[in-house]
């Protein structure tokens, strides 16, 4: 409740973000251990052990959105970190030294918890953190899926690592792992992911009740609150709001119609979030989806460690080109999109190096036009507002040409 009235999901989101960071700072003050973890890691283990967890990718994004990233990036580069590596890593390594950000402070960790299913950069990034801070590191090696499906030998390998991580956490916390609680956390995490997916799926409706840039903000909570009741309540509420808007025929904005629907491929340009959003809106373009909703739809049968291992290895970033292409083709069809915006994110080599080939294959298969623009998730130096708008203008011309051809039959 807020001022005697039920909170909207946006108000609840802001409340939970503040609660998340305040809780971490308080835990540190009280001498309780704090964990730094990667975004799509088996957080169920940490929830079960009641370990306060902070996600450096979330924190770096917040710093980027507040246009504060260069302070930390330049510090890291002065320390010898290359400008070619992930800007999230450069922001976070800089923060580990400076230890203060106007956007948000986080406590330094007592344990590093790393999962390589999002990229290989995190391996060296988190190894460096553990060495720098002289603290233990738990590492999940989740092999890249060169085959279309996750192979069984990889599932066995990853399940073994989950079992070993439980032992490592028992050694770190000096307490036994509670398997009954683990089952409850698994169940809650699955339910939260389901509500996240159901909420984002309302964007399939025309007009979409969801402005996709809102999804970028809600994404912070699917990263850090999948396995607890707060996250479950938030995404259930968000879903209900999207459902009500869709049934009332309401679109994403009050002042403009949804003229074109697009997929956004890649991470947001956090330092330039306003201009990237406003430019799309100016041309009546709504981002209705991206590869992200499915990436955090981490679902499996409760108490099935093998299923859990497979689910965490199955996200878009850890799959081969055929899977990526088919996934994008399905999004084009399911969300009735008119175009695709590919963010060539200088930080994310894993996405960049395959983006043009995915673009070529998807265009060939669907006929949906697309454009690529240069940018970065947190380094503001790699984005040009003029280039971005020019690319969007070109996309509008192509989408309008397609619409006109359909009207003529």
């Amino acid at each position: 409740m807020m001022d005697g009235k039920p909170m909207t999901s946006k108000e609840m989101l802001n409340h939970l973000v503040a609660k998340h960071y305040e809780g971490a700072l308080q835990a540190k003050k009280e001498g309780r251990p704090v964990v730094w973890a990667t975004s799509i890691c088996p957080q169920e283990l940490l929830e079960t052990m009641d370990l306060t967890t902070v996600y450096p990718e979330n924190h770096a994004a917040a710093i980027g959105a507040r246009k504060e990233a260069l302070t930390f990036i330049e510090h890291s580069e002065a320390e010898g970190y290359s400008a070619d590596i992930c800007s999230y890593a450069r922001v976070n390594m800089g923060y580990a030294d400076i230890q203060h950000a106007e956007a948000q402070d986080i406590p330094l960790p007592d344990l590093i918890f790393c999962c390589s299913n999002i990229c290989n950069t995190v391996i060296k990034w988190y190894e460096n953190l553990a060495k720098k801070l002289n603290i233990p590191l738990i590492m999940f090696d989740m092999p890249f899926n060169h085959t279309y499906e996750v192979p069984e030998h990889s599932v066995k390998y990853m399940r073994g690592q989950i079992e070993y991580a439980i032992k490592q956490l028992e050694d770190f916390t000096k307490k036994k792992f509670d398997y009954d609680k683990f089952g409850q956390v698994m169940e809650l995490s699955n339910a939260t992911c389901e509500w996240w997916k159901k909420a984002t799926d309302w964007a399939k409706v025309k007009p979409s009740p969801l402005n996709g840039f809102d999804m970028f903000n809600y994404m912070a909570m699917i990263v850090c609150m999948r396995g607890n009741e707060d996250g479950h309540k938030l995404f259930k509420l968000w879903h209900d709001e999207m459902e009500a808007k869709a049934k009332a025929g309401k679109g994403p904005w009050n002042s403009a119609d949804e003229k074109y629907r697009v997929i956004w491929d890649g991470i947001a340009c956090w330092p330039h979030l306003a201009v990237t959003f406003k430019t799309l809106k100016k041309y009546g373009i709504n981002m209705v989806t991206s590869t992200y909703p499915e990436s955090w739809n981490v679902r499996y049968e409760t108490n099935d460690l093998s299923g859990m291992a497979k689910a965490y290895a199955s996200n878009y970033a850890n799959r081969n080109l055929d899977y990526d292409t088919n996934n994008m083709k399905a999004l084009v069809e399911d969300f009735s999109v008119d175009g695709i915006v590919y963010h060539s994110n200088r930080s994310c080599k894993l996405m960049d190096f395959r983006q043009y080939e995915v673009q070529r294959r998807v265009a060939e298969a669907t006929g949906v036009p697309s454009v690529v623009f240069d940018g970065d998730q947190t380094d503001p130096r790699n984005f040009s507002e003029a280039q971005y708008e020019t690319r969007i203008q070109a996309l509008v011309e192509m989408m309008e040409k397609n619409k006109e051809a359909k009207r003529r039959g």
Side-chain angles (χ1 to χ4, degrees):
M1 300 289 286
M2 183 171 283
D3 297 328
K5 293 186 289 188
M7 277 195 279
T8 64
S9 67
K10 200 164 277 189
E11 289 167 341
M12 185 183 287
L13 171 69
N14 293 334
H15 168 72
L16 292 179
V17 168
K19 178 182 174 182
H20 169 67
Y21 287 119
E22 286 164 9
L25 292 166
Q26 188 61 32
K28 194 71 173 183
K29 272 185 192 173
E30 294 172 3
R32 290 183 280 124
V34 172
V35 182
W36 280 7
T38 50
S39 56
I40 312 181
C41 72
Q43 48 78 31
E44 295 89 336
L45 306 183
L46 303 172
E47 284 282 348
T48 300
M49 297 301 267
D50 294 319
L51 285 164
T52 300
T53 306
V54 179
Y55 295 82
E57 292 153 79
N58 272 5
H59 186 234
I63 287 172
R66 286 285 297 271
K67 303 185 186 303
E68 200 183 350
L70 267 184
T71 299
F72 304 95
I73 286 170
E74 288 173 347
H75 177 91
S76 291
E77 289 173 2
E79 290 292 303
Y81 289 100
S82 169
D84 288 328
I85 66 172
C86 171
S87 60
Y88 280 173
R90 282 176 285 150
V91 168
N92 183 242
M93 294 299 288
Y95 181 84
D97 285 341
I98 297 170
Q99 295 179 34
H100 175 65
E102 291 299 321
Q104 176 64 58
D105 281 341
I106 58 172
L108 290 183
D110 303 287
L111 172 69
I112 300 291
F113 197 78
C114 181
C115 187
S116 68
N117 57 356
I118 50 174
C119 68
N120 284 332
T121 296
V122 292
I123 297 173
K124 290 303 173 187
W125 168 9
Y126 279 57
E127 280 180 349
N128 278 17
L129 278 174
K131 183 177 180 181
K132 180 189 193 76
L133 301 172
N134 193 27
I135 57 176
L137 164 70
I138 294 177
M139 176 70 69
F140 289 91
D141 175 29
M142 291 198 164
F144 186 85
N145 296 297
H146 295 282
T147 54
Y148 194 87
E149 300 295 345
V150 180
E152 193 55 37
H153 62 82
S154 289
V155 173
K156 289 178 182 176
Y157 171 63
M158 292 179 293
R159 176 183 174 136
Q161 290 181 76
I162 290 173
E163 290 169 342
Y164 179 54
I166 290 171
K167 175 69 169 63
Q168 290 175 291
L169 287 171
E170 287 180 328
D171 292 343
F172 176 76
T173 60
K174 304 293 189 291
K175 66 181 185 181
K176 292 296 289 179
F177 193 76
D178 184 341
Y179 283 91
D180 290 335
K181 183 178 179 183
F182 187 36
Q184 292 166 7
V185 171
M186 284 175 149
E187 194 172 336
L188 190 55
S189 185
N190 273 273
T192 302
C193 287
E194 185 175 7
W195 284 118
W196 156 263
K197 185 67 167 59
K198 283 180 176 178
T200 54
D201 273 355
W202 277 110
K204 293 176 181 178
V205 174
K206 286 187 175 183
S208 165
L210 172 65
N211 150 29
F213 275 70
D214 278 344
M215 183 181 68
F216 284 145
N217 294 321
Y218 284 84
M219 210 161 65
M221 289 296 101
I222 199 64
V223 171
C224 68
M225 290 193 176
R226 287 198 303 284
N228 67 46
E229 193 59 50
D230 283 339
H232 182 252
K233 287 176 182 174
L234 172 67
F235 292 112
K236 171 68 167 66
L237 176 59
W238 189 35
H239 164 273
D240 292 348
E241 289 174 351
M242 290 299 103
E243 181 178 29
K245 281 185 72 177
K247 289 182 175 177
K250 293 181 179 177
W253 315 300
N254 295 323
S255 57
D257 294 326
E258 178 187 83
K259 192 172 181 184
Y260 307 103
R261 299 161 61 88
V262 300
I263 297 170
W264 177 288
D265 183 56
I267 299 169
C269 288
W270 296 112
H272 305 286
L273 203 59
V275 71
T276 49
F277 166 66
K278 287 176 182 176
T279 303
L280 292 181
K281 186 179 176 184
K282 181 168 78 171
Y283 293 100
I285 300 171
N286 185 26
M287 167 210 163
V288 292
T289 192
S290 75
T291 55
Y292 282 110
E294 195 60 44
S295 291
W296 275 282
N297 186 27
V298 185
R299 285 193 274 172
Y300 50 86
E301 293 296 323
T302 299
N303 295 322
D304 177 11
L305 283 184
S306 295
M308 180 182 174
K310 185 175 182 178
Y312 274 104
S314 297
N315 67 292
Y316 176 82
N318 207 40
R319 306 296 285 272
N320 72 6
L321 270 173
D322 290 337
Y323 177 89
D324 293 349
T325 303
N326 288 342
N327 182 61
M328 191 68 80
K329 282 160 56 179
L331 291 176
V332 167
E333 184 175 337
D334 292 346
F335 287 83
S336 307
V337 303
D338 305 299
I340 305 172
V341 177
Y342 291 93
H343 171 203
S344 184
N345 178 1
R346 296 300 176 86
S347 275
C348 199
K349 306 299 188 289
L350 176 67
M351 289 185 180
D352 279 6
F353 288 167
R354 61 190 179 176
Q355 204 165 50
Y356 283 97
E357 178 60 14
V358 170
Q359 180 193 28
R360 184 190 68 78
R361 292 186 186 191
V362 172
E364 192 176 85
T366 67
V368 168
S370 58
V371 290
V372 181
F373 75 92
D374 296 307
D376 191 276
Q377 56 205 33
T378 38
D379 191 334
R381 300 170 295 186
N382 294 326
F383 174 83
S384 161
E385 185 175 339
Q387 185 216 50
Y388 176 75
E389 180 150 19
T390 301
R391 298 291 161 84
I392 297 306
Q393 288 170 339
L395 182 62
V396 169
E397 289 177 12
M398 291 187 283
M399 291 190 296
E400 191 54 41
K401 188 176 178 181
N402 272 7
K403 281 180 178 284
E404 185 60 32
K406 286 177 184 175
R407 283 194 289 266
R408 288 175 181 170

